[in-house]
Amino acid sequence: MPEQTALPHAYRTIDPEKRGGVCPILPRNVFIEVTNRCNLRCETCPRTYATTELPKDLSLEEFVAIAEQFPEMERAVLHGIGEPLLNAQLAEMIRYLKGRGVTVLFNSNGTLLDPPHQEALALSGLDEYRLSLDAAHPELYAKIRGRPYFDRVITHLTQFVKTISDLGTHTPRLSIWCMAMKENIEDLPALVTLAADMGVHEVYLQRLTYMVSKDERYGLGQQEQALFGNLQARESDVIEQCEVLSREAGISFQASGATDPGHSLRGAESTAAQPWSACLRPWTTAYITANGNALPCCISPFSTARYDELILGNVWQKPFKDIWNDVSYRRWREAVLGPKPHQACTGCGVYWSL
């Protein structure tokens, strides 16, 4: 087992050996989807190929009404299927959460991160800004992301490093998150070098999640592109090259899920009888969509097309405290601990994004 980054406290609220259908502790780690709109058409995202919910931006009042249903919230992640910077009230939402002492972060494609957004985020108290970037060259970026915005994104992130320094806020912490797959694995060393050149000190690798049925294929989100459990010798060499480059540049090269890139992609846990049963999210984490639907986690919409089956309740129809241990949540947890969980769980694995 590799040395792992410590999990945030919000994930360590339950003894894994004592999990059952009922969870007595309300989640302290909460994903709130501030918008489900996006300005890109990424070839790895189900949103490009299917509409799961009506387009929606949360108003500040709606956001606060959702957040107040989580009195023990310690950590808020303000993304889902959508680009958070499309919500004009995002900075105000962050300031509200910081007033409660909550750690706040989100992933973003960076295309809208212009100087006004940079200043607003730096002054909002945002703890962490994660740039989703899957390529180090314009042509590959456009192929994966569906739009030719590579140069704009690099300019924005480079400016953001300077803006944070000029304002003296020291936050948000900046990192790059890359969806690694067959299509872009050879670009990873250049991406590590690019991060160092921009003054970004953390690069994270994420595994590709895809619809597990051949009838539900789309774009690059398919099994043939996946590296998890199928890492070849050349691809392992690329990962090792990135680890060397990161050490030489003095930056961190890690993987989502508090583990290292090699371990994340080799999929050691995939040989276990029930690898999904190691997941703690149904006991520690809530995910609320822009329309108020409670889903089991942020990964689930990417790993199954059976979206209606993911909805465990709606916070506009019933308070979350009543949803948390209602029959749908209890059945989902029990299934995760058993041999036949939902397709979304069998298609996921163990280590995923924190």
Side-chain angles (χ1 to χ4, degrees), residues 86-101:
L86 282 169
N87 191 310
Q89 294 184 292
L90 179 61
E92 296 172 79
M93 296 172 179
I94 296 167
R95 285 194 292 271
Y96 158 77
L97 291 172
K98 294 310 298 178
R100 287 179 48 178

Side-chain angles (χ1 to χ4, degrees), residues 1 207 228-230 263-278 346 348-351:
M1 190 72 174
R207 297 202 307 258
F228 176 59
N230 188 33
H263 184 259
S264 176
L265 292 180
R266 282 192 295 271
E269 281 73 20
S270 64
T271 59
Q274 297 178 187
W276 50 81
S277 294
T346 59
C348 169
V350 178
Y351 292 111

Side-chain angles (χ1 to χ4, degrees), residues 317-336:
Q317 299 170 4
K318 182 186 292 189
F320 183 82
K321 64 181 179 61
D322 296 332
I323 296 172
W324 185 235
N325 283 309
D326 206 354
V327 61
S328 295
Y329 246 116
R330 294 201 308 270
R331 287 176 177 170
W332 192 280
R333 294 186 186 111
E334 290 164 356
V336 169

Side-chain angles (χ1 to χ4, degrees), residues 32-235:
I32 304 178
E33 187 181 75
V34 298
T35 181
N36 57 19
R37 297 186 301 118
C38 191
N39 60 334
L40 294 184
R41 296 187 57 81
C42 299
E43 288 291 313
T44 57
C45 182
R47 192 192 176 284
T48 301
Y49 300 93
T51 300
T52 54
E53 295 191 8
L54 293 174
K56 170 71 176 175
D57 289 2
L58 287 178
S59 68
L60 178 61
E61 293 73 21
E62 290 170 328
F63 178 83
V64 171
I66 292 174
E68 288 184 344
Q69 297 191 41
F70 299 92
E72 299 182 41
M73 186 194 306
E74 296 178 357
R75 186 172 182 269
V77 184
L78 305 186
H79 65 245
I81 295 183
E83 168 51 46
L85 290 179
L86 282 169
N87 191 310
Q89 294 184 292
L90 179 61
E92 296 172 79
M93 296 172 179
I94 296 167
R95 285 194 292 271
Y96 158 77
L97 291 172
K98 294 310 298 178
R100 287 179 48 178
V102 175
T103 297
V104 187
L105 62 137
F106 64 86
N107 282 40
S108 165
N109 62 42
T111 58
L112 303 175
L113 187 65
D114 56 14
H117 274 113
Q118 295 166 26
E119 182 172 347
L121 292 179
L123 296 176
S124 71
L126 179 67
D127 293 280
E128 184 178 354
Y129 177 90
R130 298 175 170 183
L131 177 73
S132 297
L133 183 63
D134 307 317
H137 299 92
E139 297 78 14
L140 183 57
Y141 175 93
K143 182 176 182 179
I144 295 173
R145 291 281 167 172
R147 295 286 188 270
Y149 294 156
F150 177 81
D151 291 337
R152 179 194 300 183
V153 170
I154 299 308
T155 296
H156 284 169
L157 192 60
T158 303
Q159 290 174 336
F160 202 13
V161 173
K162 185 176 185 302
T163 297
I164 293 168
S165 176
D166 290 346
L167 292 174
T169 59
H170 307 294
T171 56
R173 195 174 99 219
L174 303 181
S175 55
I176 289 175
W177 291 65
C178 173
M179 181 79 72
M181 52 186 167
K182 299 283 186 181
E183 189 72 35
N184 67 351
I185 184 70
E186 296 287 348
D187 230 31
L188 279 181
L191 185 62
V192 170
T193 299
L194 179 61
D197 290 345
M198 289 189 291
V200 176
H201 301 293
E202 299 178 39
V203 176
Y204 290 83
L205 180 149
Q206 293 178 289
R207 297 202 307 258
L208 174 69
T209 319
Y210 53 90
M211 304 301 185
V212 295
S213 168
K214 289 186 178 180
D215 297 330
E216 298 160 355
R217 297 155 62 93
Y218 55 85
L220 294 173
Q222 52 188 276
Q223 187 173 1
E224 289 83 350
Q225 284 292 338
L227 296 169
F228 176 59
N230 188 33
L231 200 62
Q232 304 301 308
R234 169 56 189 161
E235 294 153 357

